[in-house]
Amino acid sequence: MPECLDAKASLYSTELTFDPTWNHDTAATVTLKAVYQDTAPYGTDRPITVITMHGSPGSHNDFKYLVPHLAEKGIRVIGINFPGFGHSEDRDTLAHSNEERCAFVEALLDQLSIRDGLIFLGHSRGAENALMLAAKLKERTVAVALANAPGMRRHKSINYPWIVEHVCALYNNYFFLRPTIEYCMLKVYNWMGIKCRSGRVVMNSMKSMRSITFGEKKKTFLDTVNETPHIRVIFCYACRDNLIDKEISREYADCFQEQTRLVCASKDPDEEELLLKDLNKAVVDNYKSITVEFVPDGHHGQRDRARFWAQSIDKIASAAPVTVSSSDQTPEQQGKFY
């Protein structure tokens, strides 16, 4: 039974068991305390659930400006806190790989009996997991929303993988060096302007960066999403992103099929209103994918464009033919579309 940690922040904890290989192998499970945000534990009238996934580092708080807008629209939000990032428990055995992160999310959704109407919203590092989960759980997924997502090739902030590999190897193999490495890497992250709770979280962030997929590996999940007619995609990126090159983001935008491309050239609220009208038209016109380039923005689109994201998700959710899971249906709801 979930325990309420903070009613005002809608934070809960539960003991969660998952297979870190994401193969549903009961012989290789990990059990830990998962801390997550749930804005409507008893559900809402709308059969849609948005699952937010943070970057590395990050937490459910990365979406704190967006979540209230979604809640006002009657959309339930599950805010993921990946293990080892300051809220959910950590384990030395965790590699912080894509498989672990996705298995953690799927296990939490299953434990909460959230079966259908899923919209995976990922920011930065979390966007890759959003794409993977949408592909793996395609029958349950309505849409995938990607904010400042890594593309098909390495971007500028991780252009030197050998540094990450060497630091992680030292950290994993020489336990007596861990406090020193954590201290030094925390200083480096602070110098770079990246907020982090501790040196341990920094190292877990670096471990998670090792498993970002590019090229053909990512294309496998991308193709599944592209080939699944009912999954809609919205991908927003920024031209002044200090971590991800705009050229790489534009290349990634080209990968989504049946799309319309929108551009927002300023932070003027009136221009954002016009952008929302164009997005609404794209949804009505049944475009499968919508990509948006925010020319003046930086890396935190889910924060700086919170209202836009909420409106966009609301439009996509309203247009989706979502059914309620049969196990959750009343006799009157059988066969009814929302």
Side-chain angles (χ1 to χ4, degrees), residues 36 82 94 203 255 311:
Y36 62 95
F82 288 111
L94 292 178
M203 290 310 303
C255 295
Q311 296 269 38

Side-chain angles (χ1 to χ4, degrees), residues 9-294:
S10 303
L11 273 188
Y12 296 84
S13 71
T14 186
E15 188 174 90
L16 189 68
T17 298
F18 63 99
D19 167 27
T21 67
W22 206 20
N23 290 322
H24 302 93
D25 181 1
T26 56
T29 58
V30 172
T31 300
L32 49 75
K33 185 174 78 170
V35 176
Y36 62 95
Q37 185 178 42
D38 188 349
T39 60
Y42 300 104
T44 70
D45 292 336
R46 301 184 70 176
I48 292 290
T49 303
V50 172
I51 301 95
T52 64
M53 281 166 281
H54 61 79
S56 296
S59 73
H60 69 281
N61 279 321
D62 291 0
F63 301 88
K64 65 182 179 181
Y65 298 106
L66 171 57
V67 168
H69 290 295
L70 293 174
E72 285 175 5
K73 298 177 184 299
I75 296 175
R76 183 181 185 181
V77 178
I78 301 296
I80 300 298
N81 284 301
F82 288 111
F85 282 79
H87 290 275
S88 296
E89 282 186 335
D90 194 10
R91 292 286 185 272
D92 284 335
T93 55
L94 292 178
H96 302 281
S97 66
N98 276 323
E99 292 74 20
E100 284 178 359
R101 291 159 68 93
C102 290
F104 176 81
V105 175
E106 184 179 0
L108 181 59
L109 293 178
D110 288 346
Q111 186 158 312
L112 296 177
S113 298
I114 301 173
R115 299 179 179 86
D116 297 315
L118 307 180
I119 297 180
F120 293 103
L121 167 58
H123 171 248
S124 192
R125 176 67 180 85
E128 177 159 273
N129 300 118
L131 181 73
M132 294 176 72
L133 282 155
K136 181 76 174 286
L137 307 179
K138 62 183 181 180
E139 300 303 328
R140 301 163 59 182
T141 301
V142 169
V144 58
L146 310 173
N148 306 92
M152 299 299 285
R153 56 189 176 96
R154 290 190 179 277
H155 46 271
K156 54 191 173 185
S157 65
I158 56 169
N159 220 12
Y160 301 98
W162 61 270
I163 296 177
V164 176
E165 291 293 338
H166 279 72
V167 172
C168 288
L170 284 172
Y171 188 80
N172 290 335
N173 296 324
Y174 298 95
F175 286 81
F176 69 94
L177 288 177
R178 286 191 172 186
T180 302
I181 294 173
E182 288 178 2
Y183 175 81
C184 292
M185 292 313 302
L186 181 59
K187 290 292 186 182
V188 170
Y189 266 53
N190 288 339
W191 174 75
M192 293 170 61
I194 302 175
K195 294 180 181 180
C196 225
R197 295 171 67 95
S198 68
R200 173 84 175 204
V201 171
V202 170
M203 290 310 303
N204 290 340
S205 299
M206 293 185 70
K207 289 179 183 179
S208 76
M209 296 308 237
R210 299 167 73 189
S211 66
I212 296 180
T213 58
F214 301 101
E216 289 302 315
K217 287 185 177 180
K218 179 171 287 186
K219 190 174 182 296
T220 302
F221 300 102
L222 188 60
D223 287 347
T224 300
V225 169
N226 277 332
E227 293 165 6
T228 305
H230 67 268
I231 296 181
R232 278 190 140 140
V233 177
I234 177 167
F235 168 43
C236 299
Y237 60 94
C239 289
R240 294 185 180 179
D241 193 320
N242 63 318
L243 299 179
I244 302 176
D245 319 66
K246 64 182 178 182
E247 295 80 12
I248 291 176
S249 294
R250 286 170 177 166
E251 290 171 8
Y252 192 35
D254 288 336
C255 295
F256 296 100
Q257 296 179 359
E258 303 174 46
Q259 69 158 285
T260 183
R261 302 191 70 164
L262 306 175
V263 177
C264 185
S266 78
K267 295 186 177 182
D268 187 332
D270 292 336
E271 181 159 353
E272 187 170 300
E273 280 298 325
L274 292 174
L275 180 66
L276 281 167
K277 290 180 180 179
D278 289 340
L279 183 136
N280 187 46
K281 184 177 185 301
V283 172
V284 171
D285 291 344
N286 209 30
Y287 280 98
K288 176 176 168 56
S289 304
I290 302 169
T291 62
V292 185
E293 177 176 292
F294 287 103

